[in-house]
């Protein structure tokens, strides 16, 4: 079968045939781009578990990491290789690559055969046809799918960065919640002791019934507050376990007893909005989507009138006659459907993507401004609690103890000061937690840049408020 085409169609046809011969599934399914993003922006590695052996290998590695208290980086690493929601999202790469490869394959030819009989006469008809429209538009279609494949890579990279940021947040929140439980237990113990002492003194007539009732009410309120604090700690721990993809049989998760120490000073950034526009993967993905839809719109306009155009080779044979050979054309006549609806749909999608890109850019700029301001203010507040409030509470506690030893204050004054000191420590823990959470939000808003993502916390643990 030989087709003779006009000279002007040879270039796109040659490219289409070249693409059809080269289109094949890659070994990594496009995952190398996502892996490179994790290495560049998080200084981490991620994996796509595509078989049972891959999952078993990840499980064994996770269990070995759980043998020691987790660091923030170890928690992020476990999430990047073991979070099942992230692993499920990685499968979008396989779907997008399959669409790309399919777009680069030559369309299958169609074959028809008929055999009819009239008395002793037998008539046999054979035809072999191929869609010329699909063949001619094959380079443009492949280019569109290539753009969508790149967009999928960017979207999954952004998903991966968001998972890492959420894991860091959950890590700091879980540690802070466990610390709060410890100090709330001290408050509850002091309140219970004050209640017991006031009840005994009231029974002997050395304490008023009103003051004894107040101490009892404070003790009951401390019990309730401790219950709520323990529940919040449980919720924070379970949230971290979900992000890490851990089940009960994976082993017990161990966390450090305290939050990392604050950095010596907050990092100052300039022109964060422009930097975010250059780095954020969701903005890049929206741009690629707009480009792909622009190409798709051009293709829809090109094929609006002729959407079906098949060329076929025909061979007919009839008893007692020489074989008939030739070709046939099959053309869709735009009698009722002139393609306006397809073009209008493509134009609407393009306009939608243009507005979506603008909205994504505005959202990113707003997020990075708010995240940077929040991080700066959270650092100032946390530093104030650590450098001013806690030392002040310690001096107050020392003075209170001196006056108690000199019989100038009662034991209730001493217990009240202990409660206030514990409350100040809890507020310091909350402020430090808010700073680390705000730092994670800023990293995400900036697109997980290396200068931020690889910055390590000091090795010394604790906020120096034993």
């Amino acid at each position: 079968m030989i087709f003779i085409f006009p000279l002007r169609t040879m270039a796109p046809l040659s490219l289409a045939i070249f693409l059809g011969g080269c289109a094949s599934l890659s070994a990594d399914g496009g995952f190398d781009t996502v892996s490179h993003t994790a290495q560049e922006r998080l200084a981490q590695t991620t994996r796509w578990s595509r078989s049972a052996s891959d999952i078993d290998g990840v499980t064994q590695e996770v269990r070995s990491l759980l043998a020691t208290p987790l660091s923030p980086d170890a928690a992020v690493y476990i999430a990047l290789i073991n979070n099942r929601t992230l692993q499920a999202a990685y499968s979008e790469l396989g779907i997008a690559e399959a669409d790309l490869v399919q777009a680069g394959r030559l369309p299958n030819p169609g074959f028809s055969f008929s055999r009819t009989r009239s008395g002793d006469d037998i008539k046999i008809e054979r035809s072999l046809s191929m869609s010329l429209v699909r063949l001619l538009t094959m380079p443009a279609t492949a280019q569109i799918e290539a753009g969508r494949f790149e967009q999928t890579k960017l979207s999954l990279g952004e998903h991966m960065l968001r998972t890492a940021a959420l894991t860091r947040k959950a890590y700091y929140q879980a540690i802070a919640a466990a610390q709060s439980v410890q100090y709330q237990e001290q408050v509850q113990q002091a309140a219970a002791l004050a209640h017991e002492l006031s009840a005994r003194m009231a029974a002997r007539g050395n304490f008023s019934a009103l003051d004894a009732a107040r101490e009892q009410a404070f003790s009951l309120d401390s019990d309730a507050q401790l219950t709520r604090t323990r529940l919040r700690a449980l919720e924070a721990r379970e949230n971290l376990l979900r992000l890490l993809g851990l089940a009960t049989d994976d082993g017990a998760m161990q966390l450090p007893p305290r939050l990392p120490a604050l950095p010596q000073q907050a990092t100052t950034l300039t022109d964060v909005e422009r930097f975010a526009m250059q780095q954020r993967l969701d903005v890049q993905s929206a741009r690629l989507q707009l480009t792909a839809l622009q190409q798709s719109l051009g293709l829809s306009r090109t094929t609006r009138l002729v959407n079906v155009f098949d060329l076929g080779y025909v061979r007919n044979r009839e008893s007692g006659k020489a074989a008939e050979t030739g070709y046939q054309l099959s053309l869709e006549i735009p009698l009722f459907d002139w393609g306006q609806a397809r073009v209008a749909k493509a134009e609407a999608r393009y306009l939608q993507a243009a507005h979506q890109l603008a909205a994504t850019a505005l959202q990113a700029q707003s997020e990075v401004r708010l995240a940077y301001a929040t991080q700066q203010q959270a650092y100032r507040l946390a530093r104030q609690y650590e450098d001013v409030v806690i030392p002040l509470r310690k001096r107050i506690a020392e003075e209170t103890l001196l006056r108690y030893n000199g019989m100038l204050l009662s034991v209730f004054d001493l217990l009240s000061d202990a409660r206030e000191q514990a409350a100040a420590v809890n507020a310091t823990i909350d402020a430090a937690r808010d700073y680390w959470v705000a730092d994670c939000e800023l990293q995400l808003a900036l697109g997980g840049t290396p200068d931020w993502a690889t910055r390590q916390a000091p090795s010394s643990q604790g906020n120096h408020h034993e």
Side-chain angles (χ1 to χ4, degrees):
M1 175 175 57
I2 300 176
F3 294 153
I4 300 177
F5 300 105
L7 184 60
R8 62 179 179 272
T9 66
M10 292 304 296
L13 283 177
S14 300
L15 180 58
I17 294 173
F18 174 76
L19 290 173
C22 296
S24 61
L25 296 172
S26 61
D28 67 340
F31 187 71
D32 182 66
T33 301
V34 180
S35 180
H36 178 72
T37 299
Q39 181 64 43
E40 180 185 31
R41 304 197 177 202
L42 297 176
Q44 292 275 11
T45 58
T46 182
R47 271 182 261 164
W48 181 11
S49 296
R50 306 172 70 177
S51 65
S53 61
D54 291 342
I55 296 175
D56 291 340
V58 168
T59 300
Q60 295 302 320
E61 186 173 1
V62 168
R63 288 177 179 175
S64 66
L65 290 172
L66 294 177
T68 57
L70 288 179
S71 66
D73 289 337
V76 170
Y77 175 66
I78 291 176
L80 292 183
I81 65 174
N82 198 52
N83 183 289
R84 293 307 179 90
T85 302
L86 185 60
Q87 291 294 319
Y90 285 159
S91 297
E92 291 293 331
L93 282 171
I95 298 173
E97 188 186 34
D99 290 339
L100 172 59
V101 172
Q102 187 65 38
R105 295 284 174 86
L106 291 171
N108 291 325
F111 175 74
S112 64
F113 173 84
S114 67
R115 181 179 184 276
T116 59
R117 185 186 183 102
S118 176
D120 294 333
D121 295 333
I122 298 177
K123 186 177 183 180
I124 298 176
E125 296 182 359
R126 307 179 185 88
S127 67
L128 187 65
S129 62
M130 178 177 288
S131 173
L132 287 182
V133 170
R134 287 188 57 188
L135 193 63
L136 293 172
T137 59
M138 184 176 160
T141 303
Q143 188 176 4
I144 292 172
E145 292 300 333
R148 290 174 179 170
F149 188 34
E150 293 301 319
Q151 181 190 354
T152 301
K153 293 178 184 179
L154 291 175
S155 297
L156 290 177
E158 198 273 336
H159 189 168
M160 180 265 300
L161 293 177
R162 185 171 296 277
T163 299
L166 290 175
T167 301
R168 283 188 182 272
K169 286 173 55 178
Y171 174 84
Y172 295 131
Q173 289 169 340
I175 295 177
Q179 277 188 266
S180 296
V181 170
Q182 297 176 6
Y183 285 100
Q184 187 59 39
E185 288 174 346
Q186 295 182 14
V187 174
Q188 191 272 337
Q189 291 172 3
L193 181 59
H195 167 53
E196 181 181 359
L197 181 59
S198 64
R200 291 180 180 179
M201 294 178 65
R204 296 177 182 178
N206 297 327
F207 205 64
S208 69
L210 176 60
D211 290 336
R214 286 173 176 168
E215 293 296 334
Q216 182 182 9
F218 184 79
S219 178
L220 293 173
D221 183 67
S222 298
D223 286 337
Q225 185 63 32
L226 178 59
T227 300
R228 286 192 288 266
T229 304
R230 285 172 174 167
L231 180 58
R232 285 194 293 268
L234 178 61
E235 291 174 346
R237 187 177 179 87
E238 288 296 328
N239 183 40
L240 179 57
L241 288 172
R242 285 194 299 270
L243 287 167
L244 297 179
L246 298 179
T248 54
D249 56 351
D250 289 327
M253 179 182 64
Q254 304 178 57
L255 297 176
R258 296 178 180 85
L259 288 170
L262 296 174
Q264 293 301 316
Q265 60 183 7
T267 304
T268 302
L269 298 177
T270 58
D271 205 5
V272 291
E273 294 181 42
R274 181 186 61 82
F275 192 77
M277 290 301 96
Q278 295 175 349
Q279 295 293 317
R280 285 185 52 143
L281 298 182
D282 55 346
V283 176
Q284 296 179 24
S285 177
R287 288 172 181 159
L288 273 180
Q289 182 182 18
L290 185 63
T291 301
L293 288 175
Q294 185 179 26
Q295 296 171 346
S296 179
L297 174 59
L299 186 61
S300 297
R301 286 171 173 169
T302 302
T303 61
R304 59 172 295 186
L305 294 179
V306 179
N307 196 38
V308 176
F309 183 31
D310 296 339
L311 174 63
Y313 170 81
V314 179
R315 179 181 174 86
N316 297 332
R317 195 171 174 185
E318 191 173 349
S319 298
K321 295 182 181 181
E324 298 177 355
T325 60
Y327 65 91
Q328 66 179 11
L329 293 175
S330 176
L331 177 65
E332 181 185 83
I333 301 175
L335 185 59
F336 304 108
D337 183 4
W338 287 77
Q340 298 99 328
R342 289 199 310 272
V343 174
K345 183 178 180 180
E347 290 175 345
R349 284 182 172 174
Y350 177 76
L351 183 61
Q352 182 185 47
H355 287 306
Q356 187 62 47
L357 174 58
T360 301
L362 289 174
Q363 179 75 14
Q365 291 173 337
S366 176
E367 286 178 358
V368 75
R369 287 196 303 267
L370 178 60
Y372 181 61
T374 301
Q375 191 259 8
Q376 294 290 304
Q377 296 301 323
Y379 179 80
R380 293 189 184 96
L381 182 60
R383 181 55 70 187
Q384 180 179 3
Y385 267 103
E386 186 169 302
D387 295 344
V388 180
V389 175
I390 289 300
L392 179 61
R393 290 307 315 176
K394 286 185 176 180
R395 288 201 301 272
I396 293 174
E398 292 170 356
E399 293 295 330
T400 301
L401 182 60
L402 286 176
R403 283 162 176 72
Y404 172 75
N405 292 334
M407 300 177 143
L408 299 176
L409 295 176
S410 68
V411 67
F412 293 103
D413 295 322
L414 191 64
L415 291 172
S416 176
D417 180 73
R419 292 197 296 262
E420 292 176 0
Q421 186 177 6
V425 171
N426 266 327
T428 304
I429 294 171
D430 291 344
R433 176 205 62 201
D434 292 343
Y435 163 74
W436 288 112
V437 168
D439 192 58
C440 295
E441 291 285 359
L442 181 57
Q443 291 181 29
L444 181 61
L446 288 171
T449 60
D451 290 341
W452 281 87
T454 61
R455 177 164 52 82
Q456 302 292 326
S459 58
S460 58
Q461 296 289 332
N463 290 329
H464 311 293
H465 42 71
E466 299 292 338

